[in-house]
Amino acid sequence: MTPVTGPLGDTRRPPTAVEAAERGATRIADRVVAKIAAQAAREALDPLPPDAVPPHATVVVHHESARVRLHLELGYPSDIGARCNAVRCHVAERVDALTGMEVPEVTVHVERLHLVPATAAAQGRTR
């Protein structure tokens, strides 16, 4: 193998293929994972109540796991516990699928409830 001369005149060996396991690691920033989690929460809540602020998330990444805290608004009346559970499951699944991180905890904070007006037929009124 012939040596390669660098810009300073030093002699180096030409680069060789490095095995994938020896190349290093990819680190995904907390804010990127937070954006993924917020988008997943929007998907789970579709459609959002009128005038609702879209969900936002904060995330703490430690090694290969992400702890997610979501802030969202829900329509009312609805089964709040079931909606929060659906959001938790969907966010954990999507973050895991898109980042490869384990999601041991998804905390949901309901910031506000929006009264969703029922239609006249749903209230039992007839003409």
Side-chain angles (χ1 to χ4, degrees):
M1 187 181 301
T2 57
V4 176
T5 305
L8 299 176
D10 61 340
T11 305
R12 298 183 190 176
R13 297 181 71 114
T16 58
V18 178
E19 294 297 321
E22 297 175 11
R23 289 185 199 145
T26 301
R27 183 178 183 315
I28 301 173
D30 294 10
R31 64 186 174 91
V32 174
V33 180
K35 288 181 181 184
I36 292 169
Q39 177 60 38
R42 278 191 290 279
E43 292 169 4
L45 291 173
D46 193 40
L48 289 172
D51 302 326
V53 174
H56 67 278
T58 55
V59 174
V60 175
V61 175
H62 185 67
H63 297 293
E64 294 298 317
S65 71
R67 297 192 184 278
V68 179
R69 175 172 288 168
L70 290 168
H71 300 269
L72 49 88
E73 298 179 6
L74 296 175
Y76 184 81
S78 67
D79 186 350
I80 296 170
R83 301 273 325 261
C84 290
N85 190 42
V87 169
R88 271 189 213 98
C89 292
H90 188 71
V91 167
E93 178 183 298
R94 294 296 290 156
V95 170
D96 180 31
L98 294 173
T99 66
M101 293 181 184
E102 181 182 333
V103 185
E105 179 182 334
V106 178
T107 305
V108 177
H109 294 271
V110 178
E111 299 286 328
R112 185 174 169 197
L113 297 174
H114 292 270
L115 185 60
V116 178
T119 62
Q123 293 177 352
R125 296 182 194 163
T126 58
R127 284 192 156 180

